[in-house]
């Protein structure tokens, strides 16, 4: 994992916000970079589609195979487990094979996974398909943004990362849409199989392109590197750009794993790791993955109604609120957004838990038989406000902070560790959600998520420094200066 993973370049948003970067005399983004943007868009769509699609597919799978709750959890969550492994090996693959061939490999793995899922004769093959597909998702989620960031000029990098985040939510939305259109006859095989299409498109788009200049420099192919720079940024001095890349690579490769986990960087590691885990323990993916199941329990009686509620209340709201966050994130501080969002999530979860407290009194099937009740509508309202609160706060900002807190030579590995923790926590939540519901109740499960929102509020208040308006060098210096650190933590949240 020697290369920085998926969201490493987020911090470059700040440079993009520099007014000089908006200078109209700046050259326009080249067509080559637009094609690279398309690669990134497809990677995000793939990622999002596979996160969202299972919500609508579950009811058909249940009807056909009659799996136990535990097996349903495995079918749902092992895509995350595959993605965790994929993300961990992706750095090495991207270094050995190049970013471009790694993306081709991810697409092939992805198509195999999607076909295994779509043609599965039983739950075992289905689970294998989920794992394989997850590995493809994980690899693409690292190699795609890396390829995008390395090919873009500084002025475009922030936009590239925002584009990726938007694409993930649009992918979730499209998946919910496919679910809605195909749920009528429980055509779950088609829902899952469709995801092979963007993977094939990804191969077709990425194959005619070149690898990134950074990778060519790494493997000593200087002429190729210069060629790419000329295509991507025709206006810059290619030799100078290559020299910059060489310098950047030298500083990025310094830290060993021992140094990353040393006392020196313990505080940023706690901040990044804590936020990565809390982003998941507050329940987002339980809602993304099991939205239809939740709406069924809330009394939305037909699968089509459930899918419609999921499409707009979860999918649509997620895209809109993420768009707002992406447009305005740099105007507000990180701490106020994290705090307001966590409060919103906490109150929404209490509302949903309260609604389910009423609904739990009748079984889910009874609730469905009685149609949407007031309590069901309250659960819907709570879900909408939860998703909106997440999408403008913990969703994007956690990744912003994770990418800001480490000094550059520690960042690659530090972000990798936080990303792996995030996947692991996502897996733990989706693997246990239905069992926790069975063991306690639906409202019990939401109260647990609400508890973790309270923990997040405490954690942000106690540990997270305000990084807005600081250069990365200032953030780095802050960790060694206890007074400055306390001042940044005490900044209004
Ligand atoms: C999280 C994902 C989540 C997505 C929802 C991201 O920030 O890391 O786990 O599914 O937001 O939009």
């Amino acid at each position: 994992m020697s290369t920085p993973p998926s969201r490493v370049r987020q911090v470059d948003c700040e440079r993009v916000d520099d007014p000089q970067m908006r200078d109209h005399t700046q050259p326009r983004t080249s067509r080559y970079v637009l094609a690279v943007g398309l690669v990134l868009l497809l990677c995000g769509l793939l990622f999002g589609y596979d996160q969202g699609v299972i919500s609508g597919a579950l009811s058909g799978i249940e009807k056909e195979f009659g799996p136990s709750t535990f097996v349903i959890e495995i079918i749902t969550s092992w895509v995350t487990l595959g993605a965790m492994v994929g993300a961990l090996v992706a750095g090495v693959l991207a270094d050995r094979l190049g970013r471009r061939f790694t993306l081709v490999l991810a697409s092939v793995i992805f198509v195999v996974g999607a076909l295994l899922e779509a043609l599965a004769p039983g739950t075992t093959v289905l689970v294998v398909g989920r794992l394989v597909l997850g590995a493809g998702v994980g690899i693409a989620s690292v190699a795609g943004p890396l390829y995008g960031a390395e090919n873009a000029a500084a002025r475009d990098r922030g936009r590239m990362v925002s584009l990726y985040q938007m694409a993930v939510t649009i992918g979730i939305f499209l998946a919910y849409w496919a679910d809605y259109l195909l749920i009528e006859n429980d055509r779950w095989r088609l829902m899952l199989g469709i995801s092979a299409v963007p993977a094939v498109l990804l191969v077709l788009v990425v194959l005619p392109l070149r690898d990134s200049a950074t990778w060519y420099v790494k493997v000593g192919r200087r002429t190729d590197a210069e060629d790419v720079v000329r295509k991507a940024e025709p206006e810059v001095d290619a030799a100078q750009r290559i020299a910059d890349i060489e310098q950047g690579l030298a500083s990025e490769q310094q830290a060993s794993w021992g140094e990353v986990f040393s006392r020196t960087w313990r505080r940023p590691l706690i901040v990044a790791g804590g936020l990565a885990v809390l982003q998941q323990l507050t329940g987002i993916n339980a809602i993304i993955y099991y939205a239809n199941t939740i709406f069924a329990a809330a009394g939305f009686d037909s699968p089509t109604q459930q899918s419609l509620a999921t499409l707009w209340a979860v999918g649509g709201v997620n895209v809109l609120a993420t768009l707002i966050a992406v447009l305005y994130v740099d105007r507000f501080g990180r701490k106020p957004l994290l705090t307001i969002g966590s409060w919103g999530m906490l109150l929404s979860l209490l509302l949903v838990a309260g609604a389910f407290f009423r609904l739990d009194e009748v079984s889910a099937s009874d609730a469905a038989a009685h149609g949407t009740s007031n309590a069901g509508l309250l659960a819907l309202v709570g879900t909408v406000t939860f998703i909106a609160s997440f999408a403008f706060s913990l969703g994007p900002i956690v990744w912003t902070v994770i990418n800001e807190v480490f000094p550059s030579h520690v960042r690659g590995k530090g972000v990798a560790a936080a990303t792996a923790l995030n996947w692991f926590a996502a897996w733990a939540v989706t693997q246990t959600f239905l069992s926790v519901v069975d063991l306690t109740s639906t409202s019990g499960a939401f109260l647990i998520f609400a508890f973790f929102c309270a923990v997040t509020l405490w954690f942000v208040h106690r540990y997270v420094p305000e990084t807005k308006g600081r250069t990365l060098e200032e953030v780095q210096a802050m960790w060694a200066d206890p007074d400055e650190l306390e001042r940044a933590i005490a900044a209004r949240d």
Side-chain angles (χ1 to χ4, degrees), residues 51 169 172 279-280 285 288 318 390 395 399 422:
Q51 273 185 296
T169 58
I172 295 175
Q279 189 205 45
Q280 296 299 328
N285 282 319
I288 300 266
N318 195 19
F390 173 88
W399 294 112
N422 182 267

Side-chain angles (χ1 to χ4, degrees), residues 462-474:
R462 175 73 189 79
Y463 286 103
V464 179
E466 181 55 77
T467 42
K468 182 197 163 209
R470 287 169 197 265
T471 64
L472 292 178
E473 290 70 28
E474 284 166 351

Side-chain angles (χ1 to χ4, degrees), residues 164-326:
Y164 182 71
Q165 288 191 347
M166 278 307 304
V168 171
T169 58
I170 293 171
I172 295 175
F173 180 75
L174 290 178
Y176 287 159
W177 205 7
D179 285 355
Y180 168 64
L181 294 176
L182 297 171
I183 203 152
E184 185 81 22
N185 301 311
D186 280 321
R187 294 162 77 185
W188 65 270
R189 290 178 188 277
L190 197 54
M191 290 174 194
L192 297 178
I194 284 177
S195 59
V197 177
V200 172
L201 281 179
L202 182 58
V203 175
L204 293 180
V205 175
V206 84
L207 266 183
L209 298 175
R210 309 292 312 272
D211 213 299
S212 74
T214 309
W215 184 71
Y216 285 132
V217 170
K218 268 190 170 186
V219 294
R221 290 167 60 177
R222 216 189 148 90
T223 321
D224 287 321
E226 285 182 8
D227 190 38
V228 172
V229 172
R230 267 186 228 109
K231 278 197 166 85
E233 299 175 81
E235 72 285 357
V236 307
D237 175 354
Q240 182 57 46
R241 169 68 81 236
I242 304 293
D244 289 348
I245 292 175
E246 276 165 350
Q247 206 185 345
L249 285 176
S251 66
E252 253 174 27
Q253 281 173 344
Q254 283 164 21
S256 65
W257 279 107
E259 190 185 346
V260 175
F261 290 104
S262 71
R263 256 187 102 79
T264 324
W265 305 118
R266 192 185 291 162
R267 286 301 287 264
L269 205 60
I270 289 176
V271 170
L275 285 178
V277 169
L278 287 167
Q279 189 205 45
Q280 296 299 328
L281 295 187
T282 43
I284 182 65
N285 282 319
I287 297 198
I288 300 266
Y289 288 11
Y290 294 112
N292 276 28
T293 314
I294 294 168
F295 287 129
F300 288 77
D301 54 9
S302 72
T304 310
Q305 263 194 19
Q306 292 151 21
S307 274
L308 200 61
T310 299
L311 173 62
W312 293 109
V314 181
V317 171
N318 195 19
V319 175
L320 271 183
T322 304
L323 182 66
I324 293 169
V326 162

